[in-house]
Amino acid sequence: MSTKPVLVRYTDAEVLPASGVSLLADTTATGGAVTTHRSIFRAGKEGAPPHTHSEASESFYVLSGALRVLIGDEITILEAGDFLLVPPNVTHAFEAAGETDTEVLFVLTQAKPRFGYYRLLEGVYRGETDPAELGKTQDLYDNRYAESPAWAARTSA
């Protein structure tokens, strides 16, 4: 656990423009305490598909817009100012809801270092990395893709 404060100025954060992710502080900088990033989800674009984390709890704080979230088998909409904590082993997914962009602050606790995952994801968004590469990193980044009939059916509702 870190005993020193960690300050990351927004102007110093690494920004991954294709995926809309700004990397703030990873577990390597926080002594294993947290990894945190800010994401902007463009209106009408899919976000993260259904997945679980076996070790990490994932917190969502919606800064602006609205976020459609799968939590287990339920789908809900988070609005600006809403907070959600998803504990380990709960299937979840998310994407922008509505017609405006959505900005979310994510904090994962008990997490493995994750910035490498977001950089790999950036390569997928840019068309430079085969999406199958993400599946090969499930243990490395504690990000396991899952099936969800509820999430698959959301577009037909």
Side-chain angles (χ1 to χ4, degrees), residues 106-154:
F106 291 89
V107 178
L108 287 90
T109 57
Q110 303 300 320
K112 293 182 177 183
R114 293 187 54 85
F115 282 10
Y117 172 78
Y118 299 118
R119 292 180 185 114
L120 185 63
L121 186 62
E122 178 74 2
V124 171
Y125 276 99
R126 290 177 182 249
E128 301 165 354
T129 303
D130 184 339
E133 293 301 310
L134 292 172
K136 296 176 184 176
T137 65
Q138 293 185 91
D139 289 332
L140 179 62
Y141 298 120
D142 187 24
N143 202 61
R144 291 164 181 80
Y145 295 106
E147 295 294 321
S148 171
W151 191 250
R154 78 193 183 288

Side-chain angles (χ1 to χ4, degrees), residues 47-67:
H51 65 282
T52 64
H53 308 291
S54 63
E55 299 173 33
S57 291
E58 186 167 8
S59 299
F60 301 67
Y61 182 75
V62 180
L63 299 165
S64 65
L67 190 71

Side-chain angles (χ1 to χ4, degrees), residues 11-150:
T11 54
D12 294 332
E14 179 180 352
V15 177
L16 306 174
S19 59
V21 172
S22 296
L23 304 175
L24 299 173
D26 207 356
T27 57
T28 53
T30 65
V34 300
T35 182
T36 184
H37 68 281
R38 172 185 156 264
S39 290
I40 297 175
F41 299 96
R42 302 290 175 216
K45 299 292 184 186
E46 291 187 28
H51 65 282
T52 64
H53 308 291
S54 63
E55 299 173 33
S57 291
E58 186 167 8
S59 299
F60 301 67
Y61 182 75
V62 180
L63 299 165
S64 65
L67 190 71
R68 180 177 296 106
V69 181
L70 170 74
I71 310 165
D73 293 327
E74 301 291 323
I75 296 175
T76 191
I77 303 292
L78 302 179
E79 303 286 343
D82 288 349
F83 171 82
L84 169 68
L85 174 70
V86 177
N89 300 309
V90 174
T91 300
H92 56 288
F94 43 89
E95 64 187 4
E99 298 180 12
T100 62
D101 293 351
T102 300
E103 184 177 8
V104 181
L105 177 68
F106 291 89
V107 178
L108 287 90
T109 57
Q110 303 300 320
K112 293 182 177 183
R114 293 187 54 85
F115 282 10
Y117 172 78
Y118 299 118
R119 292 180 185 114
L120 185 63
L121 186 62
E122 178 74 2
V124 171
Y125 276 99
R126 290 177 182 249
E128 301 165 354
T129 303
D130 184 339
E133 293 301 310
L134 292 172
K136 296 176 184 176
T137 65
Q138 293 185 91
D139 289 332
L140 179 62
Y141 298 120
D142 187 24
N143 202 61
R144 291 164 181 80
Y145 295 106
E147 295 294 321
S148 171

